Amino acid sequence: MTMNVTELFGSKVFNDKVMKERLPKETYKALKKTIEDGAELELDVAKVVAHAMKDWAIEQGATHFTHWFQPMTGITAEKHDSFIQPEDGGKVIMSFSGKELVKGEPDASSFPSGGLRATFEARGYTAWDPTSYAFIKDDTLCIPTAFCSYSGEALDKKTPLLRSMQAIDKQARRVLKLFGNDDVKRVITTVGPEQEYFLIDTDMYNARPDLIYTGRTLFGAKPPKGQELDDHYFGTIKPRVSAFMKELDEELWKLGVLAKTKHNEVAPAQHELAPIFSTTNIATDHNQLTMEMMKVVASRHHMTCLLHEKPFEGVNGSGKHNNWSISTDTGLNLLEPGKTPSKNAQFLLFLTAVIKAVDEYQDLLRVSVASAGNDHRLGANEAPPAIISMFLGDELEDVVDSIIEGTDYTDKKKKLMSIGATVLPSISQDTTDRNRTSPFAFTGNKFEFRSLGSAASISGPNIVLNTIVAEELDIFATELEKAKDFDKALDKLVKRELTAHKRIIFNGNGYSDEWVKEAKKRGLLNLRSTVDALPSFVSDKSKDLFKKHGVFTDVELTSRYEIELEKYSKIIDIEAKTLVSIVKKDIIGAASEYETILADTINTKTACGLKISNAVEENRLESANKLTISMDKDLSRLEKDIKKAESIEDSLELARFHHDVIISDMESVRESVDSLEVMIPSNIWPYPTYGEILYSVK
Ligand code: ADP
Ligand code: MG
């Protein structure tokens, strides 16, 4: 059977086409106004929309509806209610009211709130986000919603993202006005997130409690073959994986997700999916759906999808590349160097805003990608370093240099007249995409933020990006609005800011030790771990920024900080306890069994008078015994420290303890376990090895 993709695409989405077909003209117009201009939605309108939505959903086989939201857990949440409504005579009708569409009241008490609910109200509510289409998943009508406390504090990842989009819209339009672009009604940020993941056979997954409890392996010796031959990247896709990818595409297309590219990644068993970009809000919703569908579809193929940033030590981990740009409702990409000098002047101002933003708020960008899982990648010579810097590519860096030096970029001797008269060279994708070690790279008409972890929502990094760029645009607009001679003021501003923030631009190898030294000399931050990074989130500078642009109140910011700290400590604690249990239950037993066999062999041989050839067994026994003893010692220390952690009350101190003490305790235990794994015969070793797991999908 051939598939009609154009018919399949969006078939489970209550999208514009469906709305147009099914809503009365007036209702459609009113809803469009809400979606496009952010106008408030009247309950009368909602009532009509709800009715049409329900009829459509029932035709699609739906029996339930849910307010689909994104609490601070980083995954999505849903509580299903059926459409049924009792009628006389023991019957039911299917009903869905306007009120049910716009507002829900899930019991919020079990979602992380970082103390917010204690301060305010115990209950929370969800509110429909009409800018993201409703869709059907699992016979349920899913309504994308924001999740807030009763007093309006955001308890989720969507609300602040929408707020940050409003902030950058407002400031970017001020700047555009200065360039005479009065027709722009709305400025939108766009995102295309490339998603990496691993696929392993479910039998392997089920045999590894560390994967089940923590999402990553806590032990495992390096396999004889890893990614050394670089033969997996873009390699032929195995039939099982190919079948999975095909089905995943179909499921995503039905949901209106623009799944576009799929290929094998660097590590064995690692793959990537990239969508075509959309508005940041929808891209974020769709990335959550993509991660969810990856897991669901994998299980149908008896495979398990691992989204953890570092499932296997010594093997490349997974990340997400957040391709980000700013566009107008008139279809102009503001990060696209224009064809005319005036367009270029505008581009250069936006570029300068991004450069200044990244330099001034390196810490917030770093915080936005910080997690226990991502700590394994950033700075580990496989993902961008923990130091935030920007890569512009040769042509654009030449332009920046010439502006700073006051020379024409084409002829270094000629004076640059004015930015408003600059004709930029055409910036080719090829030269801008060369540096794969840069955390933040210009790629022709967008920036690619490459430090994101694979498992996390992309909401956080985009909240930060939108807000910090809004802040710089605000400052620029304020300065330029006052100028008597706009062109002159623009020249001055761009030159001044590029000079002041040039240090953030680095086109070299981000993995090298020299860069660490050089970055330090430049005064760039090197926040190596989540615990190092998180405090920046609640600095006065950060509080002022987010408050000014209406993205986070102080309380919201503090609560998020607390949630992240707590999450970090909990993750490490679970990992530590899982490792203890695995070693105690099975590894010690396997080591003893092996030692017993060796001892028995020695005894047997001795009894037979073969003393001379005992050397092999004796050596092995001695090594195994040594490893077991040190493993046992390290395990006791880990257990003692887990206990000690229980008595630490301050959340930052506790996270620091997990980072400094527990993680290093775990590493010590692991070292002995991995050495034992290499020695002990496979019929005794109780767990599948890295080789078996990584090559489990044939
Ligand atoms: P590649 O990185 O494979 O060369 P591209 O650079 O064309 O491919 O695109 C990578 C991702 O960037 C895709 O998800 C694409 O849709 C997205 N992208 C392209 N243009 C934009 C834009 N203006 N804003 C946001 N994302 C974009
Ligand atoms: Mg890319």
Side-chain angles (χ1 to χ4, degrees), residues 190-194 274-277 323-325 327 333 429 433 443 445-446 448:
T190 50
V191 167
E194 303 166 56
I276 296 172
F277 70 97
N323 295 274
W324 177 90
S325 193
S327 295
N333 179 349
Q429 282 251 314
D433 208 21
T443 52
N445 58 4
K446 61 187 183 291
E448 186 168 359

Side-chain angles (χ1 to χ4, degrees), residues 330-488:
T330 53
L332 190 68
N333 179 349
L334 299 172
L335 293 181
E336 173 110 46
K339 292 214 164 53
T340 61
S342 65
K343 288 255 161 55
N344 283 331
Q346 187 178 295
F347 162 74
L348 284 172
L349 188 65
F350 277 95
L351 177 76
T352 306
V354 179
I355 292 172
K356 180 166 185 256
V358 175
D359 187 31
E360 287 195 330
Y361 296 99
Q362 298 159 46
D363 54 348
L364 292 185
L365 285 168
R366 177 66 186 87
V367 171
S368 78
V369 296
S371 70
N374 217 14
D375 276 1
H376 296 283
R377 295 174 68 238
L378 301 181
N381 285 10
E382 58 161 61
I387 305 164
I388 301 285
S389 68
M390 287 172 96
F391 173 81
L392 294 184
D394 294 341
E395 290 109 335
L396 204 51
E397 208 191 3
D398 275 354
V399 171
V400 168
D401 282 344
S402 64
I403 292 172
I404 291 173
E405 288 156 26
T407 53
D408 192 328
Y409 71 93
T410 46
D411 176 358
K412 297 259 170 181
K413 283 181 288 291
K414 215 166 72 190
K415 266 271 180 236
L416 184 77
M417 296 304 290
S418 121
I419 285 171
T422 311
V423 181
L424 294 182
S426 62
I427 312 282
S428 68
Q429 282 251 314
D430 292 349
T431 59
T432 53
D433 208 21
R434 239 188 277 130
N435 190 327
R436 306 303 294 177
T437 66
S438 177
F440 205 95
F442 184 72
T443 52
N445 58 4
K446 61 187 183 291
F447 277 98
E448 186 168 359
F449 187 19
R450 296 180 174 138
S451 310
L452 284 75
S454 50
S457 159
I458 61 169
S459 165
N462 286 298
I463 291 170
V464 169
L465 257 173
N466 292 343
T467 311
I468 63 179
V469 176
E471 165 68 1
E472 306 306 350
L473 292 174
D474 181 3
I475 294 172
F476 290 1
T478 305
E479 181 175 332
L480 294 174
E481 277 161 0
K482 284 190 213 128
K484 288 198 192 68
D485 181 336
F486 176 71
D487 284 345
K488 238 195 201 142

